[in-house]
Amino acid sequence: MQIVNKFPRWLTFGLAFPLIILNGWLLIQVVQYFQPLVSVVSVAILLSFVLNYPINFFHKRGIPRNLAIVGVLLLAVFILGAVGVILVPLIFQQLNELVNILPAWIDSGTEQLQAFLNWAATQQDLPVNIIGIATQLLEKISNQFQSFTGKILGLAFDTIGFLLNLILAIVLTIYLILNGEKLWDGIYQWFPSYISIKVRALLKEDFQNYFIGQATLGAILAVTVTLAFVALRIPLALLFGIAIGFFSLFPFGTGIGIGIVSLLVALENFWEGVEVAAIAVTIDQINSNIVAPRLLGNLTGLNPVWVVISLLIGAKLGGVLGLLVAIPIASFIKDIADSWKAGELKKVDNVDGIVGEVKSSLEVR
């Protein structure tokens, strides 16, 4: 250690960089080798983090923890059962309906585009070749939708394996809720107390705040958009509303969801697609700029640049699951770095030392 301290700082960082890259590469290989076990365990940990929030809420109000656990688990099972019985069949019904009517929508979109191209052909002063651009765009969109339709059957078979993994994750979640504290205590005891206390608090705060916040905003967006679509008699309103709410769980995903839904509706009726986009964007802006700050405040405190970088790294390491956990992990790293920079870890360490000295002096007396 003394020899390393004598090195220039730039040389120390230069030697550490290849080691970091090597460890990162090894981490990727380990994660890929143990899939889907890593995904099952990760989902169980995330669910236990989220469910632990209402459990602690009831426990702090005088309800015994075991009773709070039973109550929250029963409530979660009831909600999942209600969703499974009521919403899932309707969603699959509308998804099947979408697959059946999608070719007709593509034909309708082709006719609308052809009418536009006929109009554009009569205009001599257009600055760009709209006909060529529109034709290429339509071909690409049509090919993508045809490919999506062909993958529906394969997606149905993959759903069976997904359900099995989900059942395993739920069972593991229950065990983590019942015995998670002992498990985490055993892990954190390998670290100094002044580090483990801070890390444990920040880890719970970042993950619980982010996932509870995203789930709340996503549910509000899905419900409001679905009700708006039903009121306006938009086809497949439930499927499209829930799809937009699901995309909102991912950073920057709301815009993607709104774009896909608007494009699908525009295939049947262009102006109806514009109406869908305008309504969904308006509701999303109200949800993001009025509801979210009042309800949740700033969830991450991350710079948008770091958000994008975190998402790219998360997608590379873990796919969809990596996208879900990228932001809270990045937020946790930022909080730890800020705490270390502010000297909070050292201050906690000094407090522990002072407390230890006081206890020793009392024992001597």
Side-chain angles (χ1 to χ4, degrees):
M1 182 62 68
Q2 294 179 355
I3 297 176
V4 174
N5 291 334
K6 294 180 181 179
F7 289 162
R9 179 169 295 183
W10 63 268
L11 182 58
T12 302
F13 285 115
L15 293 175
F17 182 75
L19 294 177
I20 295 174
I21 297 299
L22 178 60
N23 289 330
W25 179 81
L26 289 175
L27 176 62
I28 295 175
Q29 301 305 313
V30 171
V31 170
Q32 292 178 350
Y33 180 79
F34 285 102
Q35 286 290 1
L37 178 61
V38 174
S39 297
V40 171
V41 175
S42 300
V43 170
I45 293 174
L46 295 180
L47 289 176
S48 65
F49 264 115
V50 173
L51 292 177
N52 195 51
Y53 184 83
I55 291 173
N56 289 335
F57 175 82
F58 291 116
H59 180 58
K60 290 179 180 179
R61 280 153 181 78
I63 299 177
R65 180 172 176 82
N66 291 334
L67 183 60
I69 291 175
V70 173
V72 170
L73 289 178
L74 290 177
L75 180 61
V77 170
F78 174 77
I79 294 175
L80 290 177
V83 170
V85 173
I86 299 174
L87 290 182
V88 172
L90 293 176
I91 292 174
F92 274 101
Q93 179 183 353
Q94 294 196 359
L95 183 61
N96 183 60
E97 184 178 351
L98 173 62
V99 173
N100 293 329
I101 65 177
L102 189 57
W105 282 12
I106 294 176
D107 293 337
S108 176
T110 303
E111 293 176 0
Q112 295 180 72
L113 182 60
Q114 188 61 48
F116 172 76
L117 295 179
N118 294 335
W119 171 84
T122 62
Q123 307 297 317
Q124 303 297 329
D125 55 346
L126 292 177
V128 295
N129 185 11
I130 295 181
I131 296 177
I133 296 175
T135 303
Q136 295 178 4
L137 181 62
L138 179 62
E139 290 179 355
K140 291 183 178 180
I141 293 175
S142 178
N143 292 333
Q144 291 296 325
F145 281 140
Q146 295 290 351
S147 175
F148 170 77
T149 304
K151 292 179 180 178
I152 290 294
L153 184 60
L155 180 63
F157 285 106
D158 293 338
T159 304
I160 299 176
F162 170 78
L163 291 176
L164 292 177
N165 291 332
L166 181 61
I167 293 173
L168 292 176
I170 293 175
V171 173
L172 185 58
T173 300
I174 296 174
Y175 280 107
L176 285 175
I177 292 175
L178 295 175
N179 304 298
E181 290 296 328
K182 296 180 181 179
L183 175 64
W184 296 119
D185 289 340
I187 294 175
Y188 285 123
Q189 72 178 358
W190 292 90
F191 300 93
S193 60
Y194 62 91
I195 293 179
S196 63
I197 293 174
K198 189 69 175 180
V199 168
R200 194 166 190 170
L202 290 177
L203 198 61
K204 286 185 177 181
E205 179 181 354
D206 290 330
F207 274 80
Q208 285 183 351
N209 288 350
Y210 179 77
F211 285 108
I212 292 175
Q214 289 295 103
T216 303
L217 295 178
I220 294 174
L221 182 63
V223 171
T224 52
V225 169
T226 300
L227 293 177
F229 286 174
V230 171
L232 295 173
R233 297 183 179 180
I234 302 299
L236 308 177
L238 178 62
L239 177 64
F240 290 155
I242 292 180
I244 293 176
F246 174 76
F247 273 98
S248 69
L249 296 177
F250 305 91
F252 310 112
T254 307
I256 298 175
I258 294 174
I260 294 175
V261 170
S262 302
L263 183 58
L264 286 171
V265 177
L267 289 175
E268 182 193 22
N269 188 314
F270 175 78
W271 294 112
E272 193 173 41
V274 174
E275 183 182 16
V276 165
I279 293 172
V281 169
T282 302
I283 295 175
D284 175 59
Q285 290 302 309
I286 295 174
N287 195 36
S288 300
N289 298 317
I290 298 179
V291 178
R294 294 177 180 273
L295 184 63
L296 304 167
N298 191 358
L299 293 177
T300 63
L302 289 174
N303 188 290
V305 176
W306 288 115
V307 171
V308 175
I309 294 175
S310 302
L311 292 175
L312 293 175
I313 296 175
K316 177 64 178 179
L317 291 177
V320 176
L321 182 61
L323 287 174
L324 283 175
V325 301
I327 301 303
I329 290 178
S331 179
F332 168 72
I333 295 174
K334 174 184 177 297
D335 290 340
I336 288 294
D338 291 342
S339 299
W340 175 77
K341 183 178 179 180
E344 294 181 4
L345 297 179
K346 293 183 180 180
K347 291 179 182 179
V348 175
D349 186 22
N350 292 334
V351 171
D352 287 343
I354 294 173
V355 173
E357 293 178 1
V358 171
K359 289 183 178 180
S360 300
S361 62
L362 291 176
E363 291 175 357
V364 171
R365 292 181 182 180

